[in-house]
Amino acid sequence: MKINKREKLLVYTIAGLIFLFLIERFLFSGIRGKTRGVSQQIKIEESRLQAGLDIQKRKDKITAEYKELKPYLEKTEGISDREIFAKFLKEAERVAQEAGVSIVSLSPQEESLDEPEDVKYNADLRAEGSLNQIIGLIDKIQSSALLIKLDKLSLSSKDDQAGTIKVEAVLSLIAPKP
């Protein structure tokens, strides 16, 4: 069987294309796949590095906040739940007395909400006083030695002529788990 020049050229071209396809398929596709894997790892590491840089940028702020909160954390560190609750109620009473507010009742709520790393203690406060005394109470709560927070505040008039205001509030304290 005799093959003319054109047919030979066509067979060589087809064989060359098949050879190039096989080389590309087995050799270059593996290299391309590994390159994609390395590119993905580079992107992952770049995002981790960016997160680390963001934390590093906020380091001063985090350190300053920690230094600000450290005294509060030390006041509740290493003591039992009862002792923390007693300190909390004592501090709430002291703050109310400093503000000149008359305490009608100060009672702990039965339930303390557990959070993953912290415990939240709640107490009901019922008190009476003038508007200036109530404002003083709120101010003293904000600047308390413990991290006491005013969760709920209800004001109502007790006596219109005397200017006495009734206060019903829920105070809370968040402390690290012992």
Side-chain angles (χ1 to χ4, degrees), residues 33-78:
K34 287 184 181 184
T35 305
R36 281 189 198 128
V38 169
S39 295
Q40 287 176 348
Q41 284 181 332
I42 289 172
K43 287 179 184 177
I44 290 170
E45 290 301 319
E46 283 177 346
S47 65
R48 285 183 185 162
L49 183 61
Q50 186 63 41
L53 287 173
D54 290 342
I55 290 172
Q56 189 66 28
K57 286 178 186 175
R58 295 188 329 236
K59 178 183 172 188
D60 293 334
K61 183 179 178 184
I62 293 169
T63 304
E65 287 177 1
Y66 175 75
K67 285 180 182 177
E68 183 180 322
L69 294 175
K70 188 176 179 183
Y72 298 109
L73 296 174
E74 289 173 347
K75 290 185 188 271
T76 58
E77 199 172 90

Side-chain angles (χ1 to χ4, degrees), residues 1-170:
M1 182 182 222
K2 206 167 188 188
I3 300 175
N4 66 17
K5 227 179 183 182
R6 251 184 172 189
E7 292 173 345
K8 277 186 186 181
L9 183 62
L10 186 60
V11 169
Y12 289 139
T13 306
I14 292 173
L17 287 174
I18 291 174
F19 180 72
L20 287 174
F21 174 75
L22 292 176
I23 288 177
E24 191 277 328
R25 181 75 174 141
F26 294 111
L27 184 66
F28 292 129
S29 66
I31 293 171
R32 203 175 314 124
K34 287 184 181 184
T35 305
R36 281 189 198 128
V38 169
S39 295
Q40 287 176 348
Q41 284 181 332
I42 289 172
K43 287 179 184 177
I44 290 170
E45 290 301 319
E46 283 177 346
S47 65
R48 285 183 185 162
L49 183 61
Q50 186 63 41
L53 287 173
D54 290 342
I55 290 172
Q56 189 66 28
K57 286 178 186 175
R58 295 188 329 236
K59 178 183 172 188
D60 293 334
K61 183 179 178 184
I62 293 169
T63 304
E65 287 177 1
Y66 175 75
K67 285 180 182 177
E68 183 180 322
L69 294 175
K70 188 176 179 183
Y72 298 109
L73 296 174
E74 289 173 347
K75 290 185 188 271
T76 58
E77 199 172 90
I79 57 177
S80 71
D81 279 347
R82 278 191 171 165
E83 292 174 24
I84 291 173
F85 221 116
K87 270 188 165 186
F88 169 46
L89 294 176
K90 227 182 242 186
E91 181 68 14
E93 188 176 331
R94 184 191 65 77
V95 164
Q97 286 176 350
E98 278 185 13
V101 175
S102 301
I103 298 175
V104 175
S105 72
L106 178 62
S107 58
Q109 288 184 351
E110 290 184 27
E111 202 174 301
S112 64
L113 304 172
D114 283 335
E115 295 177 3
E117 296 177 4
D118 302 322
V119 180
K120 184 176 183 181
Y121 304 98
N122 294 318
D124 290 320
L125 171 68
R126 288 184 174 76
E128 298 174 351
S130 68
L131 183 60
N132 287 337
Q133 291 171 332
I134 303 301
I135 292 172
L137 173 68
I138 294 169
D139 181 53
K140 298 237 184 259
I141 286 173
Q142 294 297 322
S143 60
S144 170
L146 297 175
L147 283 176
I148 297 176
K149 180 182 168 194
L150 205 64
D151 279 345
K152 183 175 131 186
L153 179 67
S154 174
L155 302 174
S156 60
S157 177
K158 179 182 178 186
D159 189 4
D160 292 335
Q161 292 153 357
T164 305
I165 298 174
K166 289 191 316 186
V167 176
E168 292 183 16
V170 175

